[in-house]
């Protein structure tokens, strides 16, 4: 399977033929244009079928979902608060309020058979506050023959039409059965749900008793019940997902535009300041990771007075409240502190090796300077991923909210007056919940896997195109090749799309499958470790730890083999598995020659990617600290998830652009090994003097160390 690569690339010095120019063209083996074949076609067909399934899956989410369900609750009719398509129209009425304080109090007991979701709630514009001189009421949505008001009139009257009630309706309301309910306790808007305060209004309570109203319970249970429901794990998870949708301008700016600008600046600087770029990268990395860690401390409340709060709008300054989001920020701050210390110590430890990375970056800088289309090319996969991510994020928001609203079956005392029936109804009075069927979970997992596969595919496509251009440059003595086009980057794209797009599909699928399997097995491994610790099972502990390291090693090997396989695909046009075998054999035979140089170069590039992604996270913190995202409709429950998403998006964008340098280095090294090992038996003919000097100096340094 091994053969001379000079013939593959085009300008291999065969002896002249006596048959004229036509035979000479055949001898030079212009395979890069005419001798290739379509490879891995079944995997290409599978990838196309996967795309069709992904589109169908997303269409299901857009049809069934409603992202408002992630943050806003359901009222007594099953409508989502704030939904303009509800019955009635609830646009602008996004705050959920439980009208009966006795029911809230009852649901707070541990031995009760009722849940807060089973009791009557209504959607309002703001949380109602008791009056200092009169008794205020919150009444049902106006409907039926007795109450002839529009929704706009109902809102303008502060939800109060108690004066329009018949004697029977008033009697029912005094028994806390509706249709109107007294406002006896102050409440505060906590993440779009009204949470009662135990400090009741004495004036309103006196008037309530004078009217013969039912006895109202109070106490700490009333204060904690709503907060307990809001602070549940499922509610927090839904709000985290909703934060991504609310902060979409932050994702576009800090996850897309800023890393694009910083990556281009880094590529430009590597040509002008190549000798100093390694030191600049390390210094910026240390500064940025310290800055991001400080912001986590600020939002967690450990530094300053800028901690996050779940309360929306104006409220009593003496009333303080925190939730799981603050706890998660505390954990993130501790984790970032550990990462910061380890990262800074590691950057100090590699300081002596940075000089070796500089020499390798000089070679890549020279290639980028001569093939300038390499700097522009990553914009194409960047645009493709940008469009895909916007559609994908929208689809995942709809998929996660695509459950069916159903009425609960409960044993609670939920009787309430029905304006249409004109009587108290105790049969269909339970609350509503969103029911998720198993196929929705499968659709979400498929959508997540689709994101990972498409991301890996675009990155692999970009790497293969870059490798094809750099290889053409190497095997042409660094000159513009006559056999290819004036811009080798376009020829590389053409060859890949025409012959090897299926090879890229199977390579990216392998990485996606292995890493997805690792992430699925990780929670299971943690549960087994807990069981083994409790039962003192040493064999189980050893198996759990060894399986973790085995999966990590397999994941790293697959990534490494795929990366080099893409380079050999670009050079030879072979299928994915054949190219993987060729790349593995080349690296095995030259591991001592290229190992240290390649590793140190990759470390510097990885630090550069982290610098871009950390800067994206830092700008995300600054944007989320504005008034728009700290109050009102666009308030995010916590900056944690939007910042992490911007961090991840920044790293993906940096990977696309830094691949110009990373893939260039690896392609040159693989070509150098092939050139010296098999083409000319230990000596190179196509290597540039700078590359030969770099690797030769490294070999001499290694021999001196030994």
């Amino acid at each position: 399977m091994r053969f001379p690569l000079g013939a593959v690339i085009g300008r291999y010095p065969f002896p002249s033929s006596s048959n004229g120019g036509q035979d000479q063209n055949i001898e030079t083996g212009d395979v890069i244009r005419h001798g290739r074949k379509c490879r891995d076609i079944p995997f290409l067909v599978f990838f196309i079928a996967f795309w069709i399934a992904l589109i169908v899956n997303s269409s299901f989410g857009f049809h069934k979902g409603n992202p408002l369900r992630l943050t806003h609750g359901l009222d007594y009719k099953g409508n989502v608060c704030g939904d303009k398509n509800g019955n009635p129209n609830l646009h602008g009425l996004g705050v959920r309020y439980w009208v009966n304080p006795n029911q809230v109090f009852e649901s707070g007991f541990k031995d009760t058979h009722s849940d807060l979701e089973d009791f009557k709630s209504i959607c309002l514009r703001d949380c109602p506050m008791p009056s200092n001189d009169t008794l205020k009421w919150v009444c049902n949505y106006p409907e039926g023959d007795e109450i002839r008001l529009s929704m706009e009139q109902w809102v303008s009257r502060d939800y109060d039409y108690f004066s329009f009630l018949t004697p029977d309706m008033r009697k029912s309301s005094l028994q806390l059965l509706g249709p109107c309910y007294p406002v006896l306790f102050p409440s505060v808007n906590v993440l779009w749900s009204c949470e009662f305060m135990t400090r009741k209004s004495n004036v309103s309570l006196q008037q309530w008793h004078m009217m013969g109203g039912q006895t109202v319970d109070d106490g700490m249970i009333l204060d904690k019940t709503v907060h307990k429901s809001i602070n549940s794990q499922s509610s927090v998870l839904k709000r985290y997902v909703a934060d991504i949708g609310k902060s979409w301008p932050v994702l576009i700016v800090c996850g897309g535009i800023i890393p694009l600008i910083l990556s281009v600046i880094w590529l430009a600087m590597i040509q002008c300041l190549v000798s100093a770029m390694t030191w600049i990268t390390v210094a910026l990395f240390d500064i940025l990771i310290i800055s991001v860690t400080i912001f986590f401390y600020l939002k967690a409340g450990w530094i300053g007075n800028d901690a996050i709060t779940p309360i929306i709008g104006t409220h009593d300054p003496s009333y303080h409240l925190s939730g799981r989001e603050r706890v998660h920020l505390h954990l993130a701050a501790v984790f970032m502190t550990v990462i910061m210390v380890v990262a800074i110590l590691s950057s100090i430890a590699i300081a002596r090796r940075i000089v070796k990375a500089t020499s390798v970056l000089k070679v890549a800088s020279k290639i980028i300077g001569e093939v300038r289309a390499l700097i522009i090319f990553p914009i194409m996969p960047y645009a493709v991923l940008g469009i895909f991510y916007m559609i994908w994020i929208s689809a995942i928001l709809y998929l996660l909210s695509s459950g069916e609203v159903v009425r609960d079956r409960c044993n609670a005392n939920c009787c309430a007056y029905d304006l249409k029936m004109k009587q108290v109804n105790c049969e269909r009075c339970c609350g509503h919940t969103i029911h998720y069927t198993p196929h929705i979970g499968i659709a979400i997992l498929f959508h997540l896997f689709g994101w990972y596969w498409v991301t890996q595919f675009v990155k692999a496509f970009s790497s293969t195109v870059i490798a094809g251009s750099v290889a053409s440059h190497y095997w042409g003595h660094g000159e513009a090749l006559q056999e290819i086009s004036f811009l080798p980057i376009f020829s590389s794209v053409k060859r890949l799309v025409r012959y090897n797009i299926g090879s890229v599909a199977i390579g990216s699928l392998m990485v996606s499958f292995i890493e997805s399997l690792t992430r699925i097995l990780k929670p299971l491994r943690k549960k087994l470790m807990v069981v083994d610790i409790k039962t003192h099972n040493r064999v189980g502990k050893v198996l759990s730890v060894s399986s973790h390291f085995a999966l990590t090693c397999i994941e790293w090997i697959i990534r490494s083999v795929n990366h080099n396989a893409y380079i050999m695909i670009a050079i030879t046009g072979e299928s994915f598995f054949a190219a993987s075998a060729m790349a593995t054999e080349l690296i095995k035979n030259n591991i001592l020659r290229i190992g240290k140089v390649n590793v140190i170069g990759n470390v510097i590039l990885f630090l550069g990617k982290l610098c871009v992604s950390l800067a994206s996270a830092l700008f995300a913190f600054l944007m989320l600290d504005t008034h728009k995202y700290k109050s009102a409709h666009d308030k995010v429950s916590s900056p944690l998830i939007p910042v992490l998403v911007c961090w991840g998006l920044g790293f993906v964008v940096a990977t696309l652009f830094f691949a110009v340098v990373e893939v260039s280095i690896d392609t040159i090294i693989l070509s150098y090994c092939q050139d010296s090992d098999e083409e000319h038996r230990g000596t190179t003919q196509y290597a540039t003097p700078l590359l030969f000097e770099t690797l030769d100096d490294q070999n001499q340094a290694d021999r001196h160390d030994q």
Side-chain angles (χ1 to χ4, degrees):
M1 186 170 286
R2 300 287 298 274
F3 50 84
L5 296 185
V8 175
I9 296 301
R11 301 185 77 182
Y12 192 72
F14 284 104
S16 299
S17 174
S18 59
N19 294 334
Q22 183 177 359
D23 293 339
Q24 177 67 23
N25 186 46
I26 296 175
E27 283 189 352
T28 54
D30 196 10
V31 183
I32 200 165
R33 295 186 65 181
H34 303 295
R36 298 197 174 204
K37 298 179 181 179
C38 293
R39 308 286 186 179
D40 299 317
I41 296 178
F43 298 108
L44 175 60
V45 174
F46 180 70
F47 186 65
I48 294 173
F50 165 80
W51 261 101
I52 296 174
L54 191 63
I55 293 173
V56 173
N57 190 61
S58 301
S59 301
F60 166 79
F62 286 123
H63 178 66
K64 294 290 186 179
N66 184 359
L68 281 175
R69 297 174 181 173
L70 299 173
T71 52
H72 296 69
L74 304 176
D75 65 3
Y76 67 95
K77 288 180 171 290
N79 300 310
V80 181
C81 291
D83 188 5
K84 63 181 180 181
N85 297 319
N87 183 23
N89 183 357
L90 299 177
H91 180 66
L93 305 176
V95 181
R96 187 183 189 186
Y97 176 71
W98 279 270
V99 292
N100 190 336
N102 279 355
Q103 291 179 341
V104 176
F105 185 83
E106 178 185 347
S107 65
F109 291 102
K110 294 182 179 180
D111 56 350
T112 184
H113 297 288
S114 58
D115 186 79
L116 186 62
E117 301 295 330
D118 295 328
F119 294 122
K120 189 170 185 176
S121 62
I122 196 170
C123 300
L124 309 177
R125 191 182 300 276
D126 296 299
C127 294
M129 297 292 289
S131 174
N132 293 326
D133 52 6
T134 185
L135 180 62
K136 295 176 64 176
W137 300 82
V138 171
C139 302
N140 292 353
Y141 303 132
E143 58 183 349
D145 298 332
E146 302 291 341
I147 308 300
R148 299 182 178 274
L149 292 174
S150 66
M151 287 294 293
E152 290 76 12
Q153 293 172 329
W154 176 70
V155 174
S156 64
R157 295 177 58 89
D158 284 337
Y159 328 108
D160 183 357
Y161 51 76
F162 182 78
S163 57
F164 296 164
L165 299 184
T166 63
D168 290 339
M169 292 182 183
R170 293 194 178 194
K171 181 179 179 181
S172 174
S173 298
L174 292 175
Q175 297 175 354
L176 291 178
L177 298 176
C180 292
Y181 300 84
V183 180
L184 304 176
F185 295 88
S187 58
V188 62
N189 184 352
V190 179
L191 297 173
W192 300 279
S193 292
C194 294
E195 181 168 324
F196 290 106
M197 301 180 186
T198 54
R199 186 181 67 255
K200 54 184 176 291
S201 173
N202 293 328
V203 174
S204 299
L205 196 61
Q206 289 176 1
Q207 294 184 3
W208 171 253
H209 289 318
M210 289 175 60
M211 296 176 66
Q214 184 177 348
T215 303
V216 176
D217 298 315
D218 61 359
M220 292 298 296
I221 294 179
L222 183 67
D223 186 19
K224 295 180 179 179
T225 302
V226 177
H227 184 66
K228 181 180 177 181
S229 175
I230 298 172
N231 210 33
S232 64
Q233 293 183 358
S234 60
S235 298
V236 173
L237 179 60
K238 289 180 181 179
R239 287 197 296 270
Y240 278 158
V241 176
D243 288 344
I244 299 175
K246 292 180 180 179
S247 59
W248 64 266
V250 179
L251 302 185
I252 293 176
V253 175
C254 301
I257 299 176
I258 288 178
L260 168 65
I261 296 173
L262 294 179
S263 298
V264 173
I265 291 175
W266 196 92
L267 289 178
M269 289 179 65
I270 200 175
Q271 296 184 64
C272 304
L273 305 171
V274 63
S275 300
M277 272 307 295
T278 51
W279 298 103
I280 293 174
T281 301
V282 173
L284 279 177
F285 170 73
D286 292 339
I287 294 172
L288 286 170
I289 197 170
I290 292 173
S291 302
V292 172
T293 304
I294 290 175
F295 264 97
F296 274 107
Y297 274 80
L298 287 170
K299 295 304 175 182
W302 287 347
I303 298 178
N305 298 315
D306 197 26
I308 64 169
T309 175
I311 301 176
I312 301 175
T314 58
H315 62 282
D316 187 350
S318 61
Y319 187 75
H320 300 284
L321 193 66
S322 63
R324 288 181 184 269
E325 289 87 351
R326 180 85 70 87
V327 176
H328 294 164
L329 280 175
H330 290 165
L331 296 175
V334 173
F335 180 74
M336 282 299 301
T337 303
V338 176
I339 296 297
M340 178 187 67
V341 173
V342 173
I344 293 176
L345 293 178
S346 300
S347 64
I348 295 174
I350 67 170
R352 294 179 57 188
R353 298 283 183 179
I354 286 178
V355 179
K356 297 178 182 178
T358 302
S359 59
V360 181
L361 293 179
K362 287 181 180 178
V363 179
S365 174
K366 182 177 183 298
I367 300 296
I368 296 171
E370 296 182 2
V371 190
R372 295 191 179 277
L374 286 175
I375 300 179
I376 304 174
F377 168 71
I379 295 178
M380 185 183 78
Y382 165 82
V384 172
L385 271 187
I387 296 172
F388 171 74
Y389 280 174
M390 286 189 287
I391 299 174
W392 186 90
I393 290 175
S394 300
I396 195 66
L397 290 175
Y398 278 87
L399 278 172
L400 289 169
S401 59
S402 59
E404 182 180 359
V405 177
V406 297
R407 184 180 291 275
D408 293 337
R409 295 180 179 179
C410 61
N411 297 321
N413 181 16
C414 61
C415 298
Y417 193 93
D418 191 320
L419 287 173
K420 289 185 176 181
M421 298 175 62
K422 299 180 181 181
Q423 64 180 10
V424 176
N425 178 23
C426 295
E427 294 182 358
R428 295 178 54 83
C429 60
C430 294
H432 297 77
T433 56
I434 301 175
H435 176 66
Y436 294 94
T437 56
H439 75 273
I440 295 178
I442 296 174
I444 293 172
L445 291 177
F446 179 79
H447 201 69
L448 292 172
F449 180 78
W451 164 78
Y452 207 81
W453 190 4
V454 172
T455 301
Q456 294 297 327
F457 177 84
V458 174
K459 290 164 62 177
F461 183 94
S462 178
S463 299
T464 309
V465 171
I466 294 170
S469 295
V470 176
S472 301
H473 183 277
Y474 178 93
W475 294 95
H477 285 291
E479 303 172 3
L481 301 182
Q482 300 293 332
E483 294 84 352
I484 315 177
S485 61
F486 177 73
L487 291 177
I489 195 76
F490 294 118
S491 296
S492 186
V493 172
K494 180 181 177 181
R495 291 192 302 271
L496 177 58
V497 173
R498 183 174 179 182
Y499 300 112
N500 290 104
I501 195 71
S503 304
V504 174
I506 178 57
S508 56
L509 174 62
M510 289 182 62
V511 174
S512 304
F513 179 76
I514 294 297
E515 294 195 2
S516 300
L517 183 63
T518 302
R519 282 160 177 75
I520 292 174
L521 294 178
K522 190 175 181 179
L524 179 61
R525 187 184 64 84
K526 288 184 177 180
K527 292 182 179 180
L528 290 176
M529 284 191 67
V530 173
V531 174
D532 294 335
I533 291 173
K534 291 181 178 180
T535 58
H536 303 285
N537 188 349
R538 295 184 178 181
V539 176
K541 294 179 185 177
V542 173
L543 290 175
S544 179
V545 174
S546 60
S547 63
H548 170 69
F549 282 108
L551 288 172
T552 304
C553 291
I554 292 173
E555 180 180 340
W556 182 84
I557 291 172
I558 291 294
R559 275 183 170 273
S560 178
V561 170
N562 278 18
H563 176 74
N564 294 293
Y566 298 143
I567 296 174
M568 299 308 295
I569 288 171
I571 296 174
T572 66
E574 292 293 323
S575 66
F576 172 78
F577 296 103
S580 300
M582 295 174 64
T584 303
E585 188 175 352
L586 267 180
I587 294 174
K588 181 185 67 175
N589 294 338
N590 297 273
I591 189 65
L592 296 179
R593 177 184 296 179
I594 66 176
K596 290 186 178 179
V597 175
N598 205 16
V599 169
I600 296 299
N602 288 339
V603 169
I604 296 301
L605 292 173
F606 182 71
L607 290 179
K609 297 175 190 177
L610 287 179
C611 285
V612 173
S613 58
L614 284 169
S616 301
L618 188 62
F619 278 104
F621 266 124
L622 294 174
M623 283 193 68
L624 291 169
D625 203 34
T626 57
H627 176 75
K628 177 181 179 181
Y629 299 106
K630 297 176 70 173
S631 62
H633 178 71
D634 291 325
K635 176 183 173 65
V636 295
S637 61
S638 170
L640 179 61
I641 299 302
V643 166
L644 292 180
V645 172
C646 288
W647 193 340
L649 291 176
F651 191 85
V652 171
V653 174
T655 300
L656 291 176
F657 283 86
F658 281 42
V660 172
V661 179
E662 188 174 9
V663 177
S664 296
I665 293 174
D666 293 339
T667 304
I668 292 170
I669 290 177
L670 282 178
S671 299
Y672 174 87
C673 295
Q674 180 72 23
D675 189 14
S676 62
D677 286 356
E678 296 205 358
E679 301 287 351
H680 304 100
R681 299 182 180 180
T683 60
T684 60
Q685 180 173 343
Y686 292 92
T688 60
L690 180 58
L691 174 62
F692 183 79
E693 179 184 353
T694 298
L695 295 178
D696 188 59
D697 290 346
Q698 175 62 30
N699 295 335
Q700 292 180 5
D702 292 341
R703 288 194 295 268
H704 182 269
D705 292 340
Q706 292 175 1

